[in-house]
Amino acid sequence: MSQTPISFEFFPPKTTEGADKLRITRRQLAQFKPEYCSVTFGAGGTTQDGTLNAVLDIQSEGLAAAPHLSCIGSSRASVAEILQRYRDNGIRHIVALRGDIPSGMVDVGEFRYANELVAFIREQHGEHFHIEVAAYPEYHPQSASAEADLRNFVNKVNAGADSAITQYFFNADAYFRFVDEVTARGVKIPVVPGIMPIQNFNQLNRFSEMCGAEIPRWLKLRLQSFGDDSASIRALGLDFITELCDRLLTAGVPGLHFYTLNAAGAVSTICQRLGR
């Protein structure tokens, strides 16, 4: 079980203090020997420099880094420039995403879907980059239907994706069903579960409503019942997420990808409980 690869996601810090805090977080998490660390990328490239700086910091610490690259609102020329910058800096791993359309954006750019970005990366750089894409076990909130969402995922794989990371979920059966459905459509790439620790109920509830991740009713009501008792929220969250990870690992998933929110505490505890 301890041999299953794990990886961590961070977001680019906006301040010097945030950058210092993230370095401490990475040092604390490095003990778990992550396969790589990914760094998010703002819609329309709003954090492009921050993503590159964070990725270079990660590499300088001896860890593999995988920048996110979202294509909505971007031109082919601007994406080509970013890819070349990453390649020039020794990056071999990209998380290719459509990205959310920023509010008020009229021009969505030259890419409409993530499969177009995947195809563009392959066209420009061949096999240089390992391309990771997103998967949605409970379906993307903006998809026209469950079938359309599965089709979109298959399109990304057929365009040249090497592996996928899921949106976080709290129902393991949703993940298993998704993998069965895409496998039946000919998908053979690894689909790695995305794991979100539970630490702040209001924040988690807000995130989940935006991204379409369903919090089981019993869990939502139990977390709500704790009110401002953050210690009880964290304790239940640690137990629940550890059990979820344990079930996934027992089933033989190809890895676990933790959404850290730039904090080490909960992720460290879960990894330790899993025997890392």
Side-chain angles (χ1 to χ4, degrees):
M1 197 177 293
S2 62
Q3 297 306 305
T4 303
I6 63 170
S7 50
F8 301 126
E9 178 185 290
F10 305 114
F11 58 83
K14 293 180 179 175
T15 63
T16 305
E17 294 77 11
D20 291 341
K21 177 179 178 265
L22 182 53
R23 284 189 196 97
I24 294 167
T25 295
R26 285 199 304 267
R27 275 202 297 273
Q28 291 171 320
L29 293 176
Q31 65 180 302
F32 302 110
K33 298 181 172 52
E35 186 176 46
Y36 68 91
C37 299
S38 71
V39 182
T40 63
F41 183 90
T46 51
T47 63
Q48 181 184 325
D49 289 337
T51 301
L52 178 62
N53 291 338
V55 159
L56 295 179
D57 274 354
I58 289 168
Q59 285 198 144
S60 72
E61 294 162 2
L63 297 170
H68 288 212
L69 178 56
S70 61
C71 61
I72 205 75
S74 301
S75 67
R76 289 168 71 88
S78 65
V79 169
E81 182 187 339
I82 295 165
L83 287 168
Q84 194 59 52
R85 285 178 76 189
Y86 287 146
R87 183 165 184 164
D88 291 345
N89 282 285
I91 300 297
R92 299 296 305 261
H93 194 156
I94 297 278
V95 182
L97 308 165
R98 185 197 74 164
D100 298 321
I101 301 174
S103 141
M105 176 181 276
V106 177
D107 181 8
V108 297
E110 295 183 57
F111 299 91
R112 290 186 62 207
Y113 302 106
N115 66 288
E116 296 170 0
L117 174 60
V118 174
F120 182 73
I121 296 171
R122 285 284 175 243
E123 172 194 311
Q124 296 286 306
H125 295 277
E127 298 298 316
H128 176 81
F129 291 110
H130 178 104
I131 302 177
E132 200 95 46
V133 292
Y136 296 87
E138 295 170 315
Y139 311 118
H140 194 286
Q142 294 173 356
S143 60
S145 67
E147 183 57 37
D149 196 55
L150 289 168
R151 236 181 357 255
N152 287 339
F153 180 72
V154 172
N155 288 342
K156 290 188 284 192
V157 175
N158 291 342
D162 294 297
S163 54
I165 304 167
T166 75
Q167 177 59 268
Y168 69 84
F169 55 87
F170 299 114
N171 180 353
D173 288 332
Y175 167 81
F176 296 134
R177 189 177 300 112
F178 176 84
V179 171
D180 286 346
E181 287 180 324
V182 298
T183 301
R185 286 162 170 79
V187 168
K188 295 177 180 172
I189 66 169
V191 178
V192 175
I195 306 296
M196 176 69 82
I198 298 173
Q199 300 185 82
N200 177 314
F201 172 70
N202 290 331
Q203 182 188 52
L204 181 73
N205 201 34
R206 191 169 65 250
F207 282 174
S208 300
E209 285 177 1
M210 287 190 300
C211 72
E214 183 177 337
I215 304 174
R217 186 172 183 272
W218 75 266
L219 180 60
K220 180 181 277 196
L221 292 174
R222 193 77 187 102
L223 291 168
Q224 279 177 327
S225 74
F226 291 132
D228 294 329
D229 181 358
S230 56
S232 294
I233 291 171
R234 284 197 296 271
L236 175 60
L238 287 168
D239 289 345
F240 180 84
I241 296 299
T242 302
E243 286 174 18
L244 173 65
C245 291
D246 199 40
R247 185 177 172 197
L248 293 166
L249 290 168
T250 300
V253 295
L256 295 174
H257 184 74
F258 289 93
Y259 297 106
T260 69
L261 302 181
N262 288 15
V267 177
S268 292
T269 302
I270 293 163
C271 287
Q272 286 163 354
R273 288 185 179 187
L274 294 171
R276 297 295 305 196

